[in-house]
Amino acid sequence: MTAHLISARLRNQLVHSRRSLATESSRGSADPDPNLTSSTPPRRRTLFRRLFIVSKYTLYLSLTSVIGLVVLTSFLFIHDLFTYTSRHVDRVPMNPLALHLERGGPKNLPIARVLVDDDEDEDMHRIARDKPRLVVVGGGWGAMGVLQTLHLGDYHVTVVSNETFTTFTPLLPSAAVGTVQIRSLIEPIRKIVARLRGHFVNGKAVDVDFGQRLIEIECVGNGERVYIPYDKLIIAVGSTSSTHGVPGLEHCFQLKTIADAQAIRRRVMDNFEIASLPTTSPSERKRLLSFVVCGGGPTGVETAAEIFDFCQEDIMNYFPKICREEVSIHVIQSRGHILNTYSEAISQYAEDKFKRDGVDLITNARVAAVTPEHVIYTSKNEDGKMEQHTIPTNFTLWSTGIAMNPFAKRVTQLLPNQFHKKAIEVDAHLRVKGTPQGTVYAVGDAATIETSLVSHFLEFVEEADQNKDGKIDFDEWEVMVNRIKQKIPMAEDHVSKAREIFTMYDVNGDNALELNELVKLLEDLGNKITSLPATAQVASQQGKYIGKKLNKLARRMERQGQEQKMETAQPSAESARNLILIPDEAISAPFRYFHLGSLAYIGNAAVFDLGKYSFMGGLAAMYAWRSVYWNEQVSVRTRALLMIDWIVRGVWGRDLSRL
């Protein structure tokens, strides 16, 4: 028995020792001594592993790019396959009245009650038959704001413009020197109005009859005149440049249209090409390469900055260097600072930037005259006396304020109580004062919202003077303040401290305002209210406001029409267009402008004025400026073209050809 136990123990110990040896052997083979089993250091193995990972993901990215390119190319081929096909148009329906217009109106002109494309399909026919006629005069920011906001099928829309396209005006200074191409800033109006199944008339508005609701159009091309009837009219004709009575402005360039930018580009290239000729004298070369900008606002500052960039980045590389050395850029500003509507910090930053770049800033000066070879301006010397100076130049840009468009001026001549010298006066709902309410609106540079409180004196007193004692106590004054805010929203900040204002003008201290005291109060408040600036931002917001209001009005008119249809037979087209006019006050609140900030390009740098905050900087600010303008484009097509232009300019520079 003992022998068997000893034998079993020996066997167990032998098995245990064999297992231990096997375990140690396996551990040794899994983790060998690097000095004995491997000649590759750990760091090198780690480097090889990282290179393998990078190579793998690079391969994945390359394959993905190749697949994406193949898919895109295939999509383009498929698109071309179904796009470039023969399309035939047979038997397009057309109303005979579209070719044989009736005549009438004050001047017995043809009246285009039916347009040639009103009956092209059932939808067009239904809109022409049942919907009110909305005529938009102009193709700028205000008009585009309306068209982009309207809903399809609510109105029979007709756009009248002397240009067949809308222009992104803030980038015209860039187009003037070739930073971006002209085509990248325009979008055909026909493409925009097609979404609404609307119509486009290439013409210029010259007169209007508010009684018969006829607008007179002078057609571009043949010069013939025709009446277009309307139920609602939106005037968005913009403005022209103010001359300030300066002689010789026919020798100046302006920068409001595509044609202006093209003319400036040709003159700039001609100046540099002539200055490069061996026959050009030094004095003539200096005059040719002198660029004068009259006006220190955003347009003038950005144009001067673009010319400077053009000289630094392209003239330096491709023209004789003497041309760059002789270039001089002058900015003449009538006030003490450029960009004077921006914050003081931004004005100072822009001035410092121009001084570093060698741009000649001439402030507190006024242009006296412009000749083909000189700009004459006056400024005060150290003794306070006026001195006259002359700048030889072959390029002068005039960018100093706005004046009334000829059609807007004609409108003010036809209406009573239109005394503003630069624009059509409208109320807080953007309705033209003096016209039948709810029929005529004006937006953008062509319009200015009324700021006079005295003109509504009797109305305010009648509503506020509840006890009819001919005085306004404080409780009645609070009622009047609420009415003022509704009538003229821009006065809201000025009447926020109602108690202080009331006490200030209560001269005799009887806790009531006499009528003469009230007149003085309203007059002073009206003088403090400033008009909205004539900017693209204001015009766009006003256009969108009108578009949204018209959408709400269309919904209300549909409900009203359905009620009529239930009570009587289906209304005729004429009765549908002459439904009871619904007051704007019942549709929407008055227009309120929300300032989103101002920005300006100052040469590979940009400035932003956001009200309480200002942002200034170099490349980062410039790219932020580009991002804002890129986002504000009217279509995806222009966004793509603009991005391509910026890439081409960065890689290959600007186009130096004269076109």
Side-chain angles (χ1 to χ4, degrees):
M1 186 67 177
T2 304
H4 285 292
L5 291 173
I6 294 172
S7 176
R9 289 177 180 176
L10 291 174
R11 285 197 301 272
N12 291 337
Q13 291 178 358
L14 181 61
V15 172
H16 181 70
S17 62
R18 287 178 177 175
R19 289 178 178 175
S20 299
L21 290 173
T23 302
E24 292 177 359
S25 176
S26 63
R27 289 177 179 176
S29 62
D31 189 18
D33 187 346
N35 295 325
L36 298 176
T37 60
S38 176
S39 61
T40 304
R43 292 182 179 177
R44 186 173 299 178
R45 290 205 312 276
T46 304
L47 179 61
F48 287 159
R49 189 180 299 112
R50 291 178 178 176
L51 289 175
F52 174 75
I53 294 173
V54 171
S55 301
K56 180 175 68 175
Y57 285 106
T58 302
L59 179 62
Y60 289 162
L61 181 61
S62 301
L63 290 175
T64 304
S65 301
V66 171
I67 293 173
L69 184 61
V70 171
V71 171
L72 178 61
T73 305
S74 302
F75 174 78
L76 292 176
F77 277 118
I78 295 173
H79 174 269
D80 291 345
L81 179 65
F82 289 98
T83 300
Y84 297 102
T85 57
S86 299
R87 302 173 65 182
H88 301 281
V89 179
D90 296 324
R91 297 181 180 179
V92 178
M94 181 182 297
N95 193 320
L97 294 177
L99 300 178
H100 304 87
L101 300 178
E102 62 172 304
R103 302 183 74 91
K107 301 179 182 179
N108 195 32
L109 296 175
I111 303 177
R113 299 191 187 277
V114 180
L115 301 178
V116 294
D117 50 349
D118 270 342
D119 291 340
E120 284 189 352
D121 54 47
E122 185 59 33
D123 289 338
M124 301 281 279
H125 178 69
R126 177 184 57 81
I127 292 174
R129 180 190 61 204
D130 300 334
K131 299 302 179 179
R133 296 178 179 273
L134 173 64
V135 177
V136 181
V137 183
W141 287 87
M144 293 304 106
V146 174
L147 298 177
Q148 290 176 331
T149 313
L150 286 176
H151 293 163
L152 171 62
D154 286 347
Y155 294 90
H156 179 275
V157 180
T158 303
V159 180
V160 178
S161 175
N162 60 342
E163 298 283 3
T164 61
F165 50 83
T166 184
T167 306
F168 190 79
T169 52
L171 284 177
L172 283 177
S174 297
V177 297
T179 304
V180 299
Q181 298 300 315
I182 296 295
R183 291 283 178 185
S184 304
L185 306 183
I186 62 175
E187 184 70 14
I189 296 178
R190 287 189 179 275
K191 286 189 175 182
I192 297 173
V193 78
R195 181 185 67 85
L196 302 171
R197 307 306 302 273
H199 313 269
F200 174 73
V201 176
N202 189 198
K204 179 176 65 174
V206 293
D207 206 348
V208 61
D209 187 322
F210 296 111
Q212 300 185 45
R213 297 185 188 178
L214 298 173
I215 181 169
E216 183 180 343
I217 305 299
E218 181 181 328
C219 300
V220 174
N222 56 20
E224 295 185 3
R225 296 197 174 189
V226 63
Y227 283 128
I228 295 181
Y230 69 87
D231 296 306
K232 290 188 177 294
L233 174 65
I234 300 176
I235 302 173
V237 294
S239 61
T240 60
S241 295
S242 176
T243 62
H244 298 290
V246 176
L249 293 189
E250 64 272 13
H251 308 301
C252 296
F253 292 95
Q254 298 182 15
L255 192 52
K256 282 184 168 293
T257 66
I258 289 294
D260 294 336
Q262 291 174 321
I264 289 175
R265 177 170 169 76
R266 286 191 292 268
R267 175 62 64 86
V268 169
M269 294 310 304
D270 286 345
N271 284 359
F272 278 106
E273 292 295 348
I274 298 174
S276 302
L277 297 176
T279 55
T280 303
S281 65
S283 60
E284 179 65 7
R285 182 183 297 111
K286 188 173 183 179
R287 187 185 72 86
L288 290 169
L289 301 181
S290 172
F291 300 90
V292 179
V293 176
C294 302
T299 300
V301 167
E302 290 185 351
T303 303
E306 289 285 359
I307 294 175
F308 175 81
D309 288 349
F310 179 53
C311 295
Q312 289 293 101
E313 299 166 4
D314 297 277
I315 297 301
M316 183 78 77
N317 295 331
Y318 302 105
F319 280 77
K321 288 187 171 50
I322 186 64
C323 290
R324 177 63 190 98
E325 183 181 358
E326 293 290 340
V327 167
S328 62
I329 303 172
H330 313 269
V331 178
I332 302 176
Q333 168 70 328
S334 61
R335 301 191 180 184
H337 298 278
I338 60 174
L339 299 178
N340 58 285
T341 59
Y342 292 60
S343 68
E344 183 178 350
I346 284 181
S347 296
Q348 190 61 49
Y349 181 87
E351 290 175 4
D352 293 341
K353 175 70 167 57
F354 274 8
K355 289 178 182 178
R356 291 194 302 270
D357 293 340
V359 176
D360 181 25
L361 293 179
I362 306 171
T363 56
N364 294 316
R366 292 189 176 275
V367 177
V370 179
T371 70
E373 297 184 349
H374 299 88
V375 171
I376 303 171
Y377 70 93
T378 59
S379 62
K380 291 184 179 180
N381 57 18
E382 297 178 354
D383 299 331
K385 296 181 180 180
M386 299 300 296
E387 287 186 347
Q388 184 169 291
H389 307 270
T390 301
I391 303 177
T393 183
N394 196 46
F395 174 90
T396 305
L397 174 68
W398 185 260
S399 177
T400 59
I402 64 171
M404 192 179 295
N405 179 279
F407 178 66
K409 187 174 183 179
R410 176 58 180 164
V411 170
T412 59
Q413 292 173 348
L414 295 173
L415 296 174
N417 301 324
Q418 288 283 347
F419 304 114
H420 202 280
K421 296 181 180 180
K422 294 185 178 180
I424 302 170
E425 195 167 19
V426 299
D427 64 11
H429 288 268
L430 305 184
R431 298 171 296 198
V432 176
K433 296 180 64 177
T435 60
Q437 280 204 353
T439 59
V440 184
Y441 302 86
V443 297
D445 294 0
T448 182
I449 300 177
E450 61 175 339
T451 59
S452 173
L453 298 176
V454 176
S455 59
H456 300 283
F457 172 76
L458 295 178
E459 178 184 347
F460 290 153
V461 171
E462 184 178 355
E463 294 181 1
D465 189 11
Q466 300 174 357
N467 55 13
K468 307 302 179 182
D469 62 350
K471 296 181 180 181
I472 303 296
D473 59 28
F474 183 72
D475 292 337
E476 294 173 338
W477 167 243
E478 287 186 319
V479 174
M480 185 177 291
V481 166
N482 292 330
R483 182 56 180 159
I484 289 174
K485 292 179 181 179
Q486 295 174 1
K487 196 73 175 179
I488 303 180
M490 293 188 297
E492 185 172 353
D493 293 338
H494 299 282
V495 295
S496 58
K497 299 179 180 179
R499 170 60 74 176
E500 294 182 9
I501 297 174
F502 184 86
T503 304
M504 183 185 305
Y505 286 88
D506 184 14
V507 179
N508 54 17
D510 61 349
N511 200 31
L513 293 175
E514 304 286 347
L515 293 184
N516 58 338
E517 295 173 339
L518 184 60
V519 169
K520 177 63 175 175
L521 187 156
L522 295 180
E523 184 178 357
D524 291 345
L525 285 178
N527 293 332
K528 293 179 181 179
I529 303 173
T530 57
S531 301
L532 295 177
T535 62
Q537 185 179 163
V538 172
S540 179
Q541 289 188 28
Q542 289 179 340
K544 292 176 181 178
Y545 166 82
I546 293 294
K548 292 177 181 178
K549 177 186 292 187
L550 293 178
N551 290 336
K552 295 178 182 179
L553 181 62
R555 302 286 81 76
R556 182 75 66 90
M557 294 177 69
E558 283 182 0
R559 291 195 297 268
Q560 187 173 340
Q562 290 174 358
E563 293 174 358
Q564 283 189 1
K565 186 177 179 181
M566 293 176 63
E567 295 175 358
T568 60
Q570 183 175 357
S572 64
E574 193 64 26
S575 62
R577 294 194 185 101
N578 288 285
L579 293 172
I580 298 174
L581 289 176
I582 303 171
D584 288 47
E585 290 82 357
I587 298 295
S588 64
F591 171 75
R592 291 179 182 272
Y593 170 63
F594 180 70
H595 185 60
L596 300 175
S598 303
L599 59 160
Y601 177 77
I602 56 174
N604 286 331
V607 292
F608 295 78
D609 188 355
L610 306 177
K612 296 181 180 179
Y613 306 99
S614 299
F615 176 45
M616 301 156 283
L619 288 177
M622 184 190 71
Y623 282 113
W625 170 81
R626 285 185 176 180
S627 299
V628 172
Y629 279 177
W630 184 84
N631 185 66
E632 291 297 321
Q633 293 296 307
V634 72
S635 69
V636 176
R637 183 190 73 89
T638 54
R639 287 192 184 98
L641 292 176
L642 189 59
M643 182 63 69
I644 293 173
D645 285 345
W646 282 332
I647 293 174
V648 169
R649 176 255 181 178
V651 177
W652 293 284
R654 297 171 179 82
D655 180 16
L656 300 179
S657 58
R658 183 191 185 281
L659 296 175

